[in-house]
């Protein structure tokens, strides 16, 4: 939407073009009313060429130059005088235009309808070539947009097709699916810069596949039906894209359920998706790979945790020595606790959580952590012998971050990579404990699907913080899917081959190829995943 002052200027410019192209004295008078100063002088200069060529079919060389000059000045191409090259170029175009006009070519162009006149074909063609356009002129914007739209349609493409062109054809798309105890998530991505990718399509739905699993040891029929419906959506998304490589995994719920294998066979039959059950060590390694870009070069030690629905993976990472390209290579120890937000809330009750119930949940997780023999991580003891922090990737920590920011709606761009202090986490935990189930459900960052799970996640987080005290916690809205995508792209060498092609085109014949930086040397901290 344009400003009223811009509309008035656009009206004056349209009248001035009428005076310059059609040559009528009435158009020049309108140009003087809509503009002032230099535009009035241009309108006066435009009267003479108009009176010399009233029939509109023949025009002298000087008339063409003046008309072009008036039109170009409106677009901001010239200040006082055009340079010699531009004058010669426009003179040659003017001669070509006169030859067309002599044959009576008076085709109308829809682009010039916004200027209030219908010039000849030469004027339309020349106006399309005029660059740059003064986009503050509302009439000029409408005209050029109409001309470009007509040109694109005649070429057989539109704006939407052109935008999606990078995602079609031979674009190397990769897909990763994670069917967990609580969520079903899918990512389709396109590799970009070394170590990075752009998300093309995504899907996430809470299915609660592990509902009742802790009590019965089996996946319930209702839970399997919910998961299959979500997987059908994922299968449709994958069918609509040409995916070069994909990996589809299932985690704790299918690992521990007696009928886990039967469920995956049913998934293959009804959706066509072939899911694989990964072990706990692979799950921990993928979580580390997916969050590697959130660990700075100055960091000496990290404890990364992924609080899931049926299990919680924890990896202690020692970066005090020489650092390699892959963060997963620095895992000093890892563990997988057989407890998650779904199992813990079902065991203790997650709807109405009192202070005592919360303390009991923290105590249970603390007992499980005592069995984990973890080596000393630099900086974790608080003695100042290194830079240490916690890194959390789960719905629990992202929910805490959203509540901390008081977001009216969850925004991944503001949450992913956010730093929370130890005091911030304490305050958010106390705030959630003070809310009843209805208050938690009404919060836009929690919702009814997580209202009975969030405090169980806070209890697991509290036990981790007591075992590894830290003044800083970094929030990651990423995890297994990003780790899957990164490992597939790295295994295919997609970033390294892309670098080689660019160097091949850039070097001159007979020159040896220059060595470009390695992918890890060009990695940026901001991105969709790592």
């Amino acid at each position: 939407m344009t400003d009223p002052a811009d509309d008035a200027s656009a009206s004056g410019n349209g009248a001035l073009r009428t005076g310059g192209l059609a040559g009528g004295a009435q158009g020049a008078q309108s140009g003087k009313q809509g503009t002032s100063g230099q535009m009035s002088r241009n309108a006066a200069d435009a009267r003479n060429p108009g009176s010399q060529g009233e029939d509109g079919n023949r025009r002298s060389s000087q008339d063409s130059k003046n008309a072009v000059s008036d039109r170009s000045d409106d677009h901001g191409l010239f200040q006082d005088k055009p340079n010699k090259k531009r004058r010669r170029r426009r003179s040659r175009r003017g001669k070509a235009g006169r030859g067309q006009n002599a044959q009576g070519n008076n085709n109308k162009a829809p682009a010039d309808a916004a200027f209030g006149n219908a010039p000849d074909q030469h004027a339309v063609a020349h106006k399309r070539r005029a660059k740059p356009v003064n986009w503050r002129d509302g009439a000029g914007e409408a005209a050029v947009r109409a001309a470009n739209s007509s040109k694109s349609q005649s070429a057989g493409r539109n704006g939407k097709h052109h935008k999606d062109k990078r995602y079609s054809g031979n674009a190397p798309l990769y897909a990763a699916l994670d069917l967990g105890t609580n969520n079903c998530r899918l990512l389709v991505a396109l590799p970009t810069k070394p170590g990075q990718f752009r998300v093309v399509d995504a899907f996430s739905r809470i299915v609660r596949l592990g509902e009742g699993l802790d009590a019965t040891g089996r996946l319930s029929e209702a839970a399997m039906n919910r998961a299959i419906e979500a997987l059908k959506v994922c299968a449709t998304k994958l069918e609509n894209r040409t995916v070069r490589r994909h990996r589809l995994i299932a985690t704790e719920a299918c690992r521990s359920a007696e009928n886990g294998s039967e469920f995956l066979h049913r998934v293959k039959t009804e959706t066509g998706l072939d899911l694989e059950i990964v072990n706990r060590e692979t799950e921990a390694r993928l979580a580390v790979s997916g969050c590697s870009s959130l660990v700075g070069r100055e960091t000496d030690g990290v404890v990364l945790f992924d609080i899931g629905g049926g299990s919680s993976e924890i990896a202690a990472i020692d970066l005090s020595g020489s650092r390699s390209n892959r963060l997963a290579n620095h895992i000093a120890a890892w563990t997988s606790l057989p407890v998650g937000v779904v199992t813990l809330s079902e065991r203790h009750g997650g709807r109405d959580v009192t202070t005592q119930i919360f303390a009991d949940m923290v105590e249970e997780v603390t007992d499980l952590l005592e069995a984990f023999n973890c080596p000393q991580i630099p900086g974790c003891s608080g003695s100042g012998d290194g830079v240490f922090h916690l890194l959390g990737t789960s719905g629990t920590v992202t929910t805490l971050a959203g509540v901390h920011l008081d977001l009216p709606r969850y925004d991944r761009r503001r949450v992913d990579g956010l730093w929370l202090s130890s005091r911030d986490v304490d305050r958010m935990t106390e705030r959630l404990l003070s809310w009843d189930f209805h208050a938690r459900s009404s919060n836009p960052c929690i919702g009814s699907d997580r209202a009975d799970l969030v405090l169980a996640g806070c209890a697991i987080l509290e036990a981790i913080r007591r075992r590894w005290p830290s003044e800083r916690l970094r929030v990651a809205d990423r995890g297994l899917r990003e780790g899957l995508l990164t490992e597939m792209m790295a295994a295919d060498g997609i970033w390294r081959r892309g670098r080689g092609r660019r160097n091949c085109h850039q070097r001159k014949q007979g020159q040896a190829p220059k060595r470009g930086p390695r992918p890890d040397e060009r990695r940026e901290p901001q991105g969709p995943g790592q």
Side-chain angles (χ1 to χ4, degrees):
M1 184 176 294
T2 58
D3 188 76
D6 295 334
D7 292 338
S9 176
S11 177
N13 291 340
L16 182 57
R17 290 182 178 87
T18 304
L21 293 173
Q26 182 179 357
Q29 184 65 24
S30 300
K32 289 197 293 181
Q33 294 177 0
T35 56
S36 62
Q38 183 63 34
M39 297 185 68
S40 298
R41 291 192 293 271
N42 291 340
D45 294 338
R47 289 196 193 96
N48 293 331
S51 61
Q52 293 173 8
E54 292 180 355
D55 58 345
N57 293 327
R58 303 186 62 85
R59 185 179 295 156
S60 64
S61 175
Q62 185 62 36
D63 294 341
S64 299
K65 293 179 181 178
N66 291 339
V68 170
S69 177
D70 290 338
R71 189 163 56 249
S72 301
D73 286 340
D74 292 343
H75 291 305
L77 282 175
F78 303 104
Q79 298 297 328
D80 293 325
K81 296 181 179 180
N83 57 38
K84 294 182 178 180
K85 289 184 178 179
R86 285 176 175 170
R87 284 200 299 265
R88 287 196 296 266
R89 187 161 56 246
R90 280 155 179 76
S91 178
R92 289 195 296 268
R93 292 171 181 170
K95 293 178 181 179
R98 289 197 304 275
Q100 294 178 0
N101 292 339
Q103 299 175 6
N105 188 355
N106 290 326
N107 295 332
K108 305 298 186 289
D112 278 356
F115 300 131
N117 66 323
D120 56 26
Q121 185 68 21
H122 161 66
V124 174
H126 178 70
K127 180 175 63 58
R128 288 178 180 172
R129 289 192 294 267
K131 296 180 181 180
V133 176
N134 183 4
W135 293 106
R136 291 175 295 182
D137 183 350
E141 179 179 1
V144 175
R145 286 187 186 277
N148 291 338
S149 176
S150 177
K151 182 178 179 181
S152 298
Q153 292 176 3
S154 64
R157 63 174 184 269
N158 52 41
K160 181 179 179 181
H161 174 77
H162 189 64
K163 180 179 180 181
D164 293 337
K165 185 178 179 180
R166 59 186 176 182
Y167 302 138
S168 60
N170 297 325
L173 292 179
Y174 290 79
L177 186 147
D178 169 27
L179 178 61
T181 305
N182 192 47
N183 291 278
C184 176
R185 298 186 177 112
L186 171 72
L187 274 185
V188 181
L190 176 74
T192 55
K193 296 180 181 179
Q196 299 182 28
F197 52 80
R198 180 190 300 111
V199 174
V200 175
D201 201 355
F203 174 79
S204 179
R205 180 181 294 178
I206 295 177
V207 296
R208 297 207 178 195
L209 180 60
E211 184 178 45
L213 176 62
D214 188 57
T216 63
R218 294 178 61 86
L219 302 175
S220 66
E221 189 68 22
M224 289 189 291
N225 291 337
R226 290 194 299 266
I228 287 178
E229 289 302 317
L231 290 171
K232 287 180 179 178
V233 177
C234 297
T236 302
K237 288 180 174 291
L238 292 176
E239 289 175 0
N240 293 335
R241 304 226 179 235
T242 304
V243 178
R244 175 175 181 172
R245 186 174 176 185
H246 66 268
R247 190 175 181 187
L248 319 176
I249 67 170
T251 55
E252 182 62 26
C254 295
R255 273 198 306 256
S256 57
E258 295 178 2
N259 57 343
S261 299
E262 299 175 7
F263 168 68
L264 294 186
H265 179 72
R266 179 183 170 187
V267 170
K268 179 67 178 298
T269 302
E270 297 187 22
T271 68
L273 300 178
D274 190 8
L275 275 66
E276 61 170 311
I277 300 177
V278 296
N279 56 36
R280 291 183 173 91
E281 182 179 2
T282 301
E283 189 173 353
R285 177 177 53 81
L286 290 173
V288 173
S289 298
C291 300
S292 60
S293 64
L294 295 180
V295 179
R297 289 284 179 178
E298 73 284 355
T299 306
D300 298 309
V302 175
V303 170
L304 183 145
F305 58 91
D306 182 4
I307 302 175
S311 65
S312 297
E313 280 65 43
I314 301 173
I317 303 171
D318 187 353
L319 298 169
S320 57
S322 58
R323 185 166 177 173
S324 64
N325 300 335
R326 300 184 63 182
L327 188 66
N329 295 339
H330 297 276
I331 298 177
W334 68 273
T335 187
S336 179
L337 305 180
V339 63
V341 294
V342 175
T343 55
L344 195 63
S345 63
E346 289 182 351
R347 202 172 301 163
H348 295 270
R351 185 180 179 91
D352 300 315
V353 180
T354 64
T355 305
Q356 183 59 44
I357 293 177
F358 183 79
D360 293 341
M361 290 191 290
V362 174
E363 186 66 24
E364 178 180 344
V365 181
T366 301
D367 293 340
L368 294 174
L369 283 175
E370 287 180 356
F372 176 39
N373 185 17
C374 180
Q376 184 65 35
I377 303 300
C380 181
S381 61
S383 59
D385 56 348
V387 179
F388 172 81
H389 67 83
L390 295 174
L391 178 59
T393 165
S394 65
T396 298
V397 292
T398 56
T399 298
L400 286 176
V403 175
H404 169 71
L405 296 173
D406 289 326
L407 296 177
R409 182 180 180 183
Y410 183 80
D411 187 353
R412 179 189 183 277
R413 295 170 297 179
R414 298 187 59 184
V415 170
D416 186 42
L418 179 70
W419 288 98
L420 294 177
S421 66
S422 179
R423 184 174 300 179
D424 293 333
V425 179
D426 291 336
R427 184 168 58 253
M428 290 304 101
T429 304
E430 294 174 0
R431 186 178 178 184
L432 292 177
L433 274 172
S434 66
W435 291 352
D436 58 7
F437 178 79
H438 176 72
R440 296 195 300 271
S441 300
S442 60
N443 186 278
C445 294
I446 301 176
S448 59
D449 292 332
R450 295 182 180 273
D452 59 337
L453 305 176
V454 62
L455 284 174
C458 290
I460 299 174
L461 173 59
E462 180 63 24
I464 294 174
R465 293 174 61 217
R466 291 180 183 180
R467 175 68 186 273
W468 295 281
S470 176
E471 289 298 323
R472 298 190 305 161
L473 165 65
R474 194 163 200 188
V475 180
D477 189 352
R478 57 183 77 189
L480 298 183
R481 295 174 300 168
E482 288 79 5
L484 289 169
L485 291 172
T486 301
E487 292 201 350
M488 285 188 292
M489 294 175 186
D492 286 352
I494 191 68
W495 293 307
R496 187 176 298 276
R497 286 205 302 270
R499 183 196 67 207
R501 284 196 299 268
R502 288 194 298 270
N503 290 342
C504 179
H505 289 296
Q506 289 176 357
R507 66 176 183 264
K508 296 180 180 179
Q509 187 176 3
Q511 282 186 341
K514 297 180 180 179
R515 178 197 176 276
R518 294 180 178 178
D520 61 288
E521 298 173 345
R522 300 178 61 182
R523 184 179 295 122
E524 299 177 4
Q526 195 72 17
Q530 195 67 323

